[in-house]
Amino acid sequence: EAVRRKLHNELVDLRGNIRVYCRVRPHPSPSTRIAPDGGSIALQADGKDHTFAYDRVFGPDSSQESVFSAVSELVQSALDGFHVCIFSYGQTGAGKTHTMQGGESPNARGIIPRAVEKILSQARKLEEQAEWSYSMEASFIEIYNNQLRDLLGGGPGGAATYINDLHAIKHDPDGGHTVVAGVSKVPVTDAECAAQLVRRAAAARAVEATAMNSQSSRSHSVFMLYISGWHAGTATRLQGCLCLVDLAGSERLDRSLAEGQAKKEACAINQSLSALGDVFSSLSSKSSHVPYRNTKLTYLLQPCLGGSGKTLMFVNINPEPASAGESLCSLRFAAKVSGCETG
């Protein structure tokens, strides 16, 4: 098992600790073209073609199963004791939440339920065959206007509860689990238990209509699965964490017609997305200083973004011609991320 973990990690490292996949949602007259090799996409905007290459491009016909199969080896890394983060990024209405959470039917399930199911299944096999013992806990955190909210906190009417401690996020210097003081950690014993947590969190999440989407997510949501493994025979302890992040929509204010509170939310969203871009820029340029502390989002995810952490970003694209400007911004951001290496 130790040899398998070592070889698996070497394989993941060879393929890149930071990867970018693109997923295009269906549209009858798309402004995008996907190359036959499945590794590049061309977008028609401003009267010309813009071409971008990524690790993988999923077309509108791609199934939830095929998308998950492309990320499953990173999910395995979390079970092997690494910090892993999978982002879903893009403009409002591009299909981010569909990619991460999906629908109720078995075929429509997204990355979160499939990842939990895979980890639980693999952990059971190791417990039966290799004398490992595993325990798992989950937190579901919302970052709203750069404030932390506990989506499983069970506030009045099931609402999310604010975390007021300015120093709530505490990283383990020895590579163990990151702790967020005041945030609920709920034991996860089976896939249905995790599905219930996702439903609870979805009901509590800040969602509001904008001109671009009637169910526009006004916050980032971070599902954190803490994995602890222990093998008594070799006195080996593994502490992995899988962070699955549904980022808020990266819309432009002029198109979303946001006003008042919604405008403040949009500014906070765009500021945190910009800070995330700054972190990736610093990693890409091998800068001695990486500005993780600039926002709660980047600081929370620091163990996944740097060092031996593994990161995958899905850039989700709505190929309608009217959204070509937003799509171009999303693809450029993803191209910036694609040039990064860690380790």
Side-chain angles (χ1 to χ4, degrees), residues 15-321:
R15 291 181 178 170
N17 274 353
I18 295 184
R19 303 180 210 175
V20 177
Y21 292 169
C22 177
R23 189 179 192 186
V24 182
R25 70 170 295 167
H27 192 273
S29 53
S31 58
T32 55
R33 287 194 325 277
I34 299 170
D37 64 359
S40 62
I41 181 172
L43 170 74
Q44 194 166 46
D46 308 325
K48 56 185 176 182
D49 275 359
H50 303 263
T51 303
F52 299 88
Y54 303 110
D55 295 289
R56 185 90 177 260
V57 179
F58 292 91
D61 298 329
S62 58
S63 66
Q64 296 283 66
E65 183 178 1
S66 66
V67 168
F68 180 72
S69 67
V71 307
S72 62
E73 68 177 29
L74 285 176
V75 173
Q76 177 66 48
S77 290
L79 190 65
D80 290 348
F82 291 93
H83 295 271
V84 176
C85 180
I86 300 175
F87 287 101
S88 192
Y89 174 81
Q91 75 181 86
T92 291
K96 298 183 301 299
T97 302
H98 175 70
T99 293
M100 295 307 284
Q101 297 181 14
E104 290 292 325
S105 70
N107 288 340
R109 292 176 310 146
I111 289 174
I112 291 177
R114 291 173 188 268
V116 172
E117 186 175 69
K118 176 184 172 71
I119 284 175
L120 288 166
S121 170
Q122 291 294 105
R124 272 197 294 270
K125 282 182 187 174
L126 288 169
E127 287 175 336
E128 291 168 5
Q129 300 169 7
E131 298 179 346
W132 281 85
S133 61
Y134 281 93
S135 64
M136 297 179 205
E137 294 179 304
S139 295
F140 221 134
I141 298 168
E142 178 182 59
I143 301 175
Y144 175 77
N145 286 352
N146 204 36
Q147 288 183 286
L148 298 174
R149 302 209 296 192
D150 181 5
L151 291 174
L152 304 178
T161 55
Y162 278 101
I163 305 300
N164 295 316
D165 182 354
L166 294 177
H167 306 288
I169 301 169
K170 296 177 175 63
H171 297 304
D172 182 344
D174 297 323
H177 291 154
T178 292
V179 174
V180 184
V183 166
S184 308
K185 290 175 81 172
V186 181
V188 175
T189 53
D190 55 48
E192 178 53 33
C193 169
Q196 287 176 358
L197 296 182
V198 170
R199 286 193 289 270
R200 265 175 64 189
R205 194 174 174 195
V207 171
E208 180 181 309
T210 71
M212 295 186 72
N213 189 342
S214 61
Q215 287 289 303
S216 175
S217 297
R218 314 303 303 145
S219 60
H220 312 301
S221 73
V222 185
F223 176 83
M224 304 181 76
L225 184 65
Y226 300 96
I227 306 162
S228 298
W230 170 250
H231 190 269
T234 57
T236 302
R237 183 178 299 282
L238 298 175
Q239 288 192 300
C241 186
L242 179 64
C243 296
L244 301 171
V245 185
D246 184 0
L247 292 169
S250 55
E251 65 246 44
R252 294 181 302 185
L253 284 174
D254 58 343
R255 283 200 67 210
S256 65
L257 305 180
E259 295 179 3
Q261 178 67 11
K263 184 174 182 179
K264 180 185 173 188
E265 291 169 350
C267 288
I269 290 165
N270 290 333
Q271 184 180 15
S272 63
L273 292 174
S274 176
L276 184 61
D278 292 342
V279 165
F280 284 121
S281 290
S282 296
L283 291 170
S284 183
S285 63
K286 303 285 193 290
S287 172
S288 58
H289 171 69
V290 181
Y292 292 115
R293 288 181 177 269
N294 282 3
T295 67
K296 296 282 200 315
L297 177 69
T298 48
Y299 189 51
L300 177 66
L301 299 175
Q302 179 178 343
C304 303
L305 299 175
S308 62
K310 327 283 182 193
T311 298
L312 170 68
M313 176 170 284
F314 264 101
V315 55
N316 293 263
I317 296 298
N318 179 358
E320 65 174 5

